[in-house]
Amino acid sequence: MTNIAILASGNGTNAEHIARTFEGSREINVAIAVSNRADAGVIGRMNRLGISVEHVPDNVWRENPGEIVGLLRRHKVDLIVLAGFLKYIDPVIIDAFPKRILNIHPSLLPAYGGPGMYGARVHRAVVEAGEKLSGVTVHFVSAEVDGGDIILQKSVELVPGETAKSLEAKIHPLEYEIYPEAIALSLIHISEPTRRRGI
């Protein structure tokens, strides 16, 4: 059984979709959700599903990332999934969970990624550039923002008259579709070291 931690800052619709997708799974268990905001909607959503939620305030993420590593290890977390999490992931956390932290980005990376590129900013940049395709990317988190290895991508076509708002409306359901699939794919990477040891 792979234990997952979901990190979220906002309403938590994507987090809830992930949790519901794997409810009753024999391979994947959402062990804990973590939010940097005490008033985040994700807390209520996870509580209603019977999932433990921890509030870790912003100053801890900035000043004591080792405390977060300890929290995740106490819950025996194997994989961390960022679902609308709006905090910087410190290298201390990345080093503790190498290639075990997933993020989702609303473009076809490496295009329209990097610092400051998130949400509506991405869609606006794609439309203004006259792109014909955009999409969603799930990737491993690395020290480089949006620079980790890509796990899975799915694309959508832009049509004449496309706006940032209409593109976002196309992208959002694609996020629900792609993330659970990418999480399942990432388990192959996690199990590889064990298979190589012959266990």
Side-chain angles (χ1 to χ4, degrees):
M1 179 72 77
T2 299
N3 284 328
I4 289 180
I6 299 178
L7 277 53
S9 298
N11 196 29
T13 55
N14 211 338
E16 181 179 8
H17 180 74
I18 291 166
R20 288 190 182 279
T21 298
F22 295 117
E23 206 168 19
S25 170
R26 295 180 179 181
E27 294 184 344
I28 296 171
N29 171 54
V30 179
I32 185 174
V34 183
S35 182
N36 62 307
R37 290 179 48 200
D39 62 345
V42 68
I43 295 173
R45 290 178 184 274
M46 295 296 102
N47 284 335
R48 286 191 290 274
L49 292 172
I51 295 169
S52 174
V53 184
E54 293 277 353
H55 167 233
V56 180
D58 288 345
N59 66 297
V60 177
W61 294 93
R62 287 192 309 268
E63 301 164 13
N64 193 9
E67 184 176 322
I68 296 156
V69 172
L71 167 67
L72 296 170
R73 285 183 170 157
R74 285 195 300 275
H75 285 269
K76 297 180 169 40
V77 167
D78 303 298
L79 187 72
I80 301 166
V81 176
L82 310 186
F85 188 65
L86 302 178
K87 292 299 296 180
Y88 170 71
I89 303 296
D90 192 276
V92 168
I93 302 172
I94 296 172
D95 290 345
F97 295 91
K99 286 203 171 180
R100 290 177 182 240
I101 307 175
L102 275 58
N103 191 31
I104 191 163
H105 186 80
S107 75
L108 297 175
L109 291 176
Y112 304 100
M117 292 301 288
Y118 58 88
R121 295 183 182 186
V122 176
H123 305 311
R124 190 159 47 246
V126 169
V127 170
E128 289 176 355
E131 300 286 0
K132 303 299 183 188
L133 285 177
S134 189
V136 180
T137 303
V138 180
H139 63 96
F140 288 112
V141 172
S142 68
E144 180 187 354
V145 177
D146 297 327
D149 291 347
I150 291 170
I151 301 167
L152 189 62
Q153 291 183 315
K154 292 198 175 181
S155 63
V156 294
E157 291 185 3
L158 278 72
V159 298
E162 196 83 72
T163 65
K165 189 172 182 179
S166 65
L167 179 56
E168 182 178 17
K170 289 180 178 179
I171 293 288
H172 200 57
L174 202 59
E175 293 178 352
Y176 289 164
E177 177 186 334
I178 191 176
Y179 220 168
E181 187 178 349
I183 290 167
L185 282 173
S186 73
L187 300 189
I188 297 169
H189 169 81
I190 289 174
S191 66
E192 278 176 351
T194 300
R195 288 205 301 270
R196 284 199 293 269
R197 289 196 300 268
I199 297 173

